[in-house]
């Protein structure tokens, strides 16, 4: 029987888009959804209320906004 664990890799608060360039676990994340992972292990997700696409780098857990604008 396999054991699976769930870890928080991004977001310390919901309802704001913040923290670009810093650790993803310290970032504000605005209702994440539609999560994808690329072949390098980088994680991409859409923030439903923030109207942005964000990326978390696998090698250092740095978060950045790569599309959209959070001011919507």
């Amino acid at each position: 029987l396999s054991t699976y664990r769930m870890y928080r890799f991004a977001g310390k608060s919901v309802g704001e888009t913040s923290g670009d360039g810093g650790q993803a676990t310290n970032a504000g994340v605005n209702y994440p959804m539609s999560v994808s992972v690329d072949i390098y292990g980088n994680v991409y997700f859409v923030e439903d209320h923030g109207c942005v696409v964000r990326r978390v780098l696998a090698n250092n857990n740095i978060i950045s906004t790569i599309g959209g604008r959070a001011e919507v």
Side-chain angles (χ1 to χ4, degrees), residues 6 13 15 18 25 33 46 66 68:
M6 183 181 291
S13 62
S18 64
T25 52
M33 57 187 289
V46 175
I66 61 170

Side-chain angles (χ1 to χ4, degrees), residues 4-28:
Y4 297 95
R5 293 180 187 220
M6 183 181 291
Y7 295 95
R8 178 177 60 92
F9 70 92
K12 68 172 184 168
S13 62
V14 175
E16 65 176 44
T17 299
S18 64
D20 280 349
Q23 289 295 306
T25 52
N26 293 327

Side-chain angles (χ1 to χ4, degrees), residues 26-62:
N26 293 327
V29 177
N30 203 351
Y31 300 95
M33 57 187 289
S34 302
V35 177
S36 295
V37 180
D38 68 17
I39 62 171
Y40 305 106
N42 300 314
V43 178
Y44 300 83
F45 61 91
V46 175
E47 290 187 7
D48 185 37
H49 290 98
C51 301
V52 296
V53 178
R54 300 189 81 188
R55 175 183 62 204
V56 178
L57 296 175
N59 64 338
N60 58 13
N61 204 43
I62 298 296

